[in-house]
Amino acid sequence: MTEFESVITRGMTPISEERRERAVLVGVDRPGSTWPLASSLAELERLVDTAGADAVATTTQKLDAPNPRTFVGTGKAEEVAELARAHAADLVVFDDELTPSQQANLEKAMGRDVKVIDRTALILDIFALHATSKEGRLQVRLAQNEYLLPRLRGMWAHLASNRMGGGVGSRFGEGESQLEVDRRMVRKRITSIKRELKHLAEVRAVQRESRYESGMFKVALAGYTNAGKSSLLNRLTNADVLAYDKLFATLDSTTRKFELPEGREITVTDTVGFIQKLPTTLIEAFKSTLDEITGADLVLHVVDASSDEYEAQIAAVEDVLGQIHAQDLSRVLVFNKCDLLGEERLGALKARHPQAQFVSAATGEGVGELVEHVARVASAQDEHLDVLIPYNRGDLVSVAHERCHILSETHEEQGTRIVMLAAPSFASMFRPYTVG
């Protein structure tokens, strides 16, 4: 592996339990932050653990604005370096995104044996660990390479510093040549990945279009990572989707059919979880997956009711929904993990969010009420039809049974008389046969 290729995974690599890396966490408290610094760092520690390392020390600094050279102040950067040496740390993780120059300067201050990464690189590393499908792996590789491209110059700084002399004639050398070669290689790789993703996106679009043409009501599960979306999908549809108590345990969207009590089939799609400060490169790379949300008739915004930061998590999800232009879709707040709340806290939550649904995917509590609510939303635009279908159109009778809500059915001399509720996408098929 060349040096520039190794940087793609320079954050953290899968490590055995016997040799987990040791990390120092660094956070900056800035005025106007919507997320408490302590909570953000606690989440960063969970991310570090998910990636396979242990947080051995944490340090913070109050700043009005980041230092353009080292993000934190110069004195704090030296303090972080001392902290890393004192705890024999392998890496330093910053809770905010670093510019390429900030990262290069910090790595110089930390010394050769300590890696410096930011929250974005950490999340990319976790996505790389958990991506299983071809599309998921390509999406992660695209985000990694786009993150890497502007940081290539810092990789070759050691070559530039080893050149002899300066002035005219010294501006062309091995480092700059290698830098340009690597830039071309990364750009070529980005283009190739985008081409593959475009093909896979077209395949996904065809599959999605077939679901749209089926007229099925489409529900998408969206929410903060680890809110319990996969567990809720499993509870609703008896699916066997991976559901771990880890951040970003699942990345690939999963669609399952689900039959409402009235007999109508709908689809329910689980999507990748969101997080605060979700890298824009990831949102762009996962756009075809996130399109599963934008194409839904109803979005169930799943919230971890047991989290002290649930309101900030709701805001983070709403922000991402806005970035993918899904903010105007019909959606319902679904508070999950309600079995972990006491009666007083649950009562207060219900009073604060009277339009929400309250469930426990673990115990099944409240899931029946949620299903009834989805059924009401699904049938809200249904058209009431009284039709007489000729006996030679048994195919329409089958569609009525599979896709519509049958209120009554009788067999008459001229055909099958059906009174039903039909979704707009199906109503046009039956209107020529209306009676009464």
Side-chain angles (χ1 to χ4, degrees):
M1 181 184 290
T2 66
E3 183 169 356
F4 91 89
E5 288 174 321
S6 68
V7 172
I8 292 180
T9 54
R10 72 192 298 172
M12 291 184 291
T13 52
I15 303 165
S16 67
E17 291 296 324
E18 290 77 16
R19 178 62 181 91
R20 287 170 64 89
E21 287 186 299
R22 299 166 61 83
V24 173
L25 312 185
V26 184
V28 169
D29 190 4
R30 284 184 283 177
S33 297
T34 56
W35 201 282
L37 180 61
S39 299
S40 187
L41 285 172
E43 184 175 84
L44 185 68
E45 185 173 348
R46 285 202 68 193
L47 288 168
V48 166
D49 176 64
T50 301
D54 296 316
V56 294
T58 301
T59 185
T60 64
Q61 184 178 35
K62 278 193 173 185
L63 285 177
D64 291 331
N67 184 310
R69 281 187 51 79
T70 53
F71 192 77
V72 292
T74 305
K76 174 59 78 169
E78 294 173 357
E79 180 187 322
V80 172
E82 287 292 331
L83 202 58
R85 283 192 287 271
H87 288 83
D90 304 285
L91 69 152
V92 173
V93 186
F94 280 75
D95 194 31
D96 294 273
E97 186 165 341
L98 302 172
T99 66
S101 61
Q102 286 170 341
Q103 185 171 351
N105 291 331
L106 285 164
E107 286 181 337
K108 190 181 299 182
M110 298 302 140
R112 294 182 61 88
D113 296 331
V114 180
K115 294 173 288 189
V116 176
I117 66 172
D118 57 19
R119 188 184 183 93
T120 296
L122 179 61
I123 293 174
L124 286 173
D125 189 81
I126 294 171
F127 270 54
L129 286 174
H130 292 171
T132 55
S133 70
K134 181 179 180 181
E135 185 177 24
R137 290 194 296 269
L138 285 171
Q139 288 166 329
V140 172
R141 283 176 55 200
L142 175 61
Q144 286 176 326
N145 278 275
E146 289 182 333
Y147 175 83
L148 167 66
L149 184 59
R151 288 166 170 76
L152 285 173
R153 177 175 291 278
M155 294 174 52
W156 298 105
H158 64 288
L159 291 180
S161 64
N162 287 339
R163 295 177 195 155
M164 298 179 63
V168 177
S170 65
R171 288 186 285 267
F172 301 91
E174 181 184 1
E176 188 65 26
S177 300
Q178 186 63 56
L179 174 62
E180 289 306 315
V181 169
D182 287 353
R183 278 177 173 163
R184 281 197 302 273
M185 291 182 70
V186 173
R187 288 193 185 103
K188 185 176 180 181
R189 181 175 294 171
I190 289 173
T191 301
S192 174
I193 295 172
K194 283 183 174 180
R195 187 162 51 243
E196 286 189 74
L197 279 174
K198 183 180 178 182
H199 171 69
L200 291 174
E202 289 170 353
V203 173
R204 180 186 286 274
V206 170
Q207 295 171 342
R208 192 161 50 238
E209 190 63 30
S210 67
R211 292 204 301 272
Y212 294 171
E213 290 176 353
S214 73
M216 277 191 180
F217 189 82
K218 298 168 292 297
V219 175
L221 303 178
Y224 208 76
T225 181
N226 206 43
K229 298 184 305 300
S230 298
S231 297
L232 184 57
L233 178 68
N234 289 341
R235 171 66 67 172
L236 286 171
T237 65
N238 295 318
D240 55 355
V241 178
L242 179 69
Y244 286 156
D245 184 22
K246 285 187 176 181
L247 305 181
F248 303 115
T250 52
L251 300 181
D252 301 307
S253 61
T254 304
T255 300
R256 295 286 184 270
K257 284 185 180 180
F258 175 61
E259 187 174 302
L260 295 172
E262 65 193 39
R264 172 190 294 187
E265 282 189 339
I266 66 172
T267 61
V268 184
T269 301
D270 182 21
T271 60
V272 61
F274 301 152
I275 198 169
Q276 61 141 337
K277 306 174 188 174
L278 187 66
T280 304
T281 51
L282 270 177
I283 295 175
E284 286 300 314
F286 277 74
K287 192 171 187 308
S288 65
T289 303
L290 295 173
D291 279 345
E292 296 289 350
I293 296 176
T294 59
D297 298 300
L298 176 67
V299 176
L300 298 184
H301 179 168
V302 184
V303 182
D304 180 357
S306 66
S307 172
D308 293 332
E309 303 300 332
Y310 81 86
E311 289 185 329
Q313 291 178 358
I314 290 174
V317 172
E318 292 292 332
D319 179 58
V320 177
L321 290 176
Q323 291 183 55
I324 62 174
H325 310 294
Q327 68 273 23
D328 296 328
L329 292 176
S330 175
R331 57 187 181 274
V332 177
L333 275 179
V334 180
F335 285 93
N336 188 25
K337 305 185 184 181
C338 290
D339 56 305
L340 303 179
L341 304 182
E343 289 186 14
E344 184 177 344
R345 188 176 173 189
L346 180 58
L349 196 61
K350 288 182 176 181
R352 188 176 181 85
H353 299 277
Q355 303 301 317
Q357 297 290 311
F358 299 85
V359 305
S360 167
T363 67
E365 177 188 356
V367 172
E369 289 83 350
L370 173 62
V371 171
E372 289 175 4
H373 183 82
V374 171
R376 285 195 296 273
V377 176
S379 62
Q381 295 183 338
D382 283 355
E383 188 172 334
H384 187 281
L385 293 172
D386 184 355
V387 297
L388 182 61
I389 302 174
Y391 286 120
N392 64 353
R393 292 305 309 271
D395 57 313
L396 287 180
V397 176
S398 297
V399 171
H401 279 276
E402 293 173 4
R403 299 286 185 258
C404 306
H405 183 196
I406 306 295
L407 300 177
S408 67
E409 181 177 0
T410 57
H411 297 284
E412 301 183 0
E413 185 178 343
Q414 294 178 317
T416 305
R417 182 81 173 263
I418 299 178
V419 179
M420 63 182 176
L421 295 174
S425 54
F426 289 112
S428 59
M429 300 170 61
F430 295 99
R431 285 195 197 104
Y433 305 97
T434 54
V435 295

